[in-house]
Amino acid sequence: MIPYGKQDIEQHDIDAVVEVLKSDFLTQGPYVPKLEKLIASNVNAAEAVATNSATSALHVACLSLGLSKGDYIWTSPISFVASANCGLYCGACVDFIDIDSETYNICPHALAKKLESAKLDNRLPKILVAVHLTGQSCNMEQIRRLCNIYGVRIIEDASHAIGGRYQDYPIGCCRYCDITVFSFHPVKIITTGEGGMATTNNLELANRMRLLRSHGITRRNEDLTNERDGPWYYEQQELGYNYRMTDIHAALGISQLKRLQEFVSRRNELALRYDKLLSDLPVLTPWQHPDCYSARHLYIVRIPNDSSKISRDEVFLEMINQGISVNVHYIPIHTQPFYKKMGFQENDFPNSIKYYQEAITLPLFPSLTEKEQNYIVSSLKRALNQ
Ligand SMILES: *Cc1c(COP(=O)(O)O)cnc(C)c1O
């Protein structure tokens, strides 16, 4: 089977991990702060806070922005459930904004309308989680302008997007948001095994996230609020979590980061090659906004839903039969049983539902060969009877 995504591990990655295993610290040693510094400088942000997943980074990001019970948080229905669950962890209510039919990211017009009516109902959200689906940035300039009008804070869920750019700024520089979150899960652009990172230009938010990722406990002299009992003294100031990244994971991340540009270029090269090879087929290839240089985490095509033609569902099964692990990203979050219980109806977000019926993710990862890619394309042709 050709998988839809796959990590790319070389000997230097393995050596980096082994070196940590032979050292004095497996966690809370020198590698985590080193990875944080490297990511911060790579994406041009002042601060970076490493965590054991993007999910936990989203959680501490929400907490650091003060999200709590009675608040609202909005995100896109077309994302992984973690983009919404982070709000529920904080006791907030989750709601969604429909996607734009071209980029599959949050639609700024839908956002504008929803903000207007939420203001009238006194239900404005505290946070908007803007998801950069497939690695292509949302229209952050518009989103930021709207959120500024209504006083909404912004988290960019850039789990797909490290190495990408928006208006020629690196994603993660937080020009248009308060906090950006990256994922280092193995299918994403670079990996630490499991791991995540939050970047920000706000030192206060960074310090809160650092506190929350480690039990809410500090022992840094300058942060203590009580007089010390002695040199052993530590202090719990908030209810935090154990969301720390280990040095083993960080060492892998440092090693992987060296090839970030190589990974992203190769992904773009393969994506453009798909665009060409698929140009004669009755499928919609991913449209790219000229402001965006995408990290190309996922290559998603749409099979137009037309009852006289072959459907996405048929194509999906046929591709699997031909040994290709295609996938669907994502089932709209509001249609998950857990979210349905909150009262969401399928057609609350019609663009997302239509997208979901048509989308299929073709394999894309740096070590995919042109020969494999040709096979994927000819299988798709066969599946479509072309
Ligand atoms: C993968 C992913 C996450 C969660 O990342 P983890 O590191 O696995 O916790 C969150 N949001 C999006 C959009 C993702 O793709």
Side-chain angles (χ1 to χ4, degrees):
M1 290 296 275
I2 304 175
Y4 84 87
K6 190 173 143 190
Q7 70 276 15
D8 191 321
I9 299 292
E10 284 181 347
Q11 190 59 43
H12 63 92
D13 296 308
I14 296 166
D15 295 344
V17 171
V18 171
E19 199 173 306
V20 179
L21 291 172
K22 291 178 176 166
S23 76
D24 291 336
F25 302 99
L26 300 188
T27 193
Q28 296 189 289
Y31 289 88
V32 169
K34 189 172 172 201
L35 177 63
E36 290 176 334
K37 280 210 183 71
L38 288 170
I39 297 276
S41 87
N42 192 287
V43 305
N44 204 12
E47 302 289 329
V49 180
T51 55
N52 57 5
S53 71
T55 303
S56 46
L58 285 165
H59 185 191
V60 294
C62 287
L63 288 171
S64 74
L65 290 169
L67 190 73
S68 64
K69 197 161 187 264
D71 290 330
Y72 287 85
I73 182 170
W74 292 358
T75 189
S76 168
I78 301 300
S79 184
F80 185 55
V81 290
S83 308
N85 287 346
C86 57
L88 299 181
Y89 297 154
C90 303
C93 289
V94 172
D95 204 349
F96 302 93
I97 327 238
D98 207 357
I99 58 167
D100 165 85
S101 300
E102 276 184 313
T103 62
Y104 317 143
N105 283 328
I106 282 175
C107 171
H109 302 295
L111 176 63
K113 270 173 93 179
K114 198 170 174 108
L115 284 167
E116 216 172 286
S117 69
K119 184 174 169 64
L120 295 175
D121 298 345
N122 214 7
R123 289 154 72 106
L124 279 171
K126 184 170 265 179
I127 299 174
L128 175 75
V129 178
V131 183
H132 303 324
L133 192 77
T134 74
Q136 172 166 238
S137 175
C138 296
N139 184 339
M140 290 310 302
E141 191 178 343
Q142 283 275 8
I143 289 175
R144 179 61 184 253
R145 192 182 59 76
L146 288 165
C147 286
N148 276 354
I149 296 171
Y150 295 93
V152 179
R153 312 295 293 267
I154 302 173
I155 297 172
E156 290 181 33
D157 182 345
S159 291
H160 300 179
I162 196 164
R165 301 176 77 82
Y166 173 66
Q167 296 181 339
D168 233 19
Y169 293 93
I171 290 183
C173 72
C174 302
R175 182 173 156 89
Y176 293 109
C177 70
D178 296 285
I179 298 170
T180 302
V181 168
F182 297 114
S183 170
F184 306 134
H185 180 279
V187 294
K188 307 288 164 76
I189 309 294
I190 57 170
T191 190
T192 58
E194 293 272 9
M197 187 76 70
T199 61
T200 181
N201 294 319
N202 182 324
L203 179 61
E204 206 176 304
L205 291 178
N207 284 339
R208 281 213 70 200
M209 292 192 283
R210 290 198 177 100
L211 195 66
L212 288 161
R213 77 171 164 189
S214 195
H215 309 281
I217 283 173
T218 186
R219 48 168 83 234
R220 280 159 44 111
N221 270 340
E222 60 267 38
D223 297 337
L224 300 177
T225 59
N226 285 342
E227 274 186 49
R228 317 172 49 122
D229 301 328
W232 63 85
Y233 186 71
Y234 60 87
E235 187 172 285
Q236 180 176 352
Q237 297 175 340
E238 298 208 39
L239 183 61
Y241 304 84
N242 184 352
Y243 283 168
R244 291 188 307 265
M245 181 184 277
T246 74
D247 268 33
I248 305 169
H249 295 85
L252 179 55
I254 292 165
S255 178
Q256 286 266 298
L257 189 60
K258 295 192 177 108
R259 286 194 297 155
L260 174 62
Q261 285 319 313
E262 177 195 324
F263 287 156
V264 171
S265 316
R266 176 66 181 155
R267 286 174 172 277
N268 271 277
E269 193 175 277
L270 288 165
L272 293 174
R273 194 163 180 273
Y274 263 136
D275 288 348
K276 266 210 203 102
L277 294 171
L278 299 174
S279 59
D280 296 333
L281 292 185
V283 300
L284 226 62
T285 53
W287 182 78
Q288 300 291 296
H289 192 284
D291 278 352
C292 300
Y293 175 65
S294 170
R296 300 281 198 168
H297 167 50
L298 300 170
Y299 190 85
I300 298 173
V301 298
R302 286 175 72 162
I303 318 281
N305 197 4
D306 172 342
S307 54
S308 68
K309 302 222 173 82
I310 292 168
S311 70
R312 187 279 315 271
D313 299 11
E314 291 167 294
V315 169
F316 186 97
L317 291 175
E318 184 53 31
M319 298 287 282
I320 296 282
N321 284 339
Q322 299 191 44
I324 298 160
S325 270
V326 285
N327 210 323
V328 174
H329 295 93
Y330 292 91
I331 299 171
I333 301 174
H334 71 285
T335 68
Q336 292 290 351
F338 188 76
Y339 279 85
K340 268 199 181 146
K341 280 191 294 193
M342 296 170 204
F344 292 107
Q345 304 291 316
E346 288 231 337
N347 263 315
D348 289 347
F349 310 102
N351 290 351
S352 298
I353 296 296
K354 185 160 168 37
Y355 161 86
Y356 171 58
Q357 290 163 347
E358 301 184 345
I360 184 165
T361 306
L362 304 181
L364 180 62
F365 46 89
S367 61
L368 184 74
T369 64
E370 296 195 350
K371 200 172 151 216
E372 286 172 319
Q373 198 180 26
N374 293 343
Y375 175 68
I376 294 160
V377 170
S378 62
S379 303
L380 181 60
K381 273 188 188 157
R382 237 170 310 165
L384 288 162
N385 274 343
Q386 293 287 307

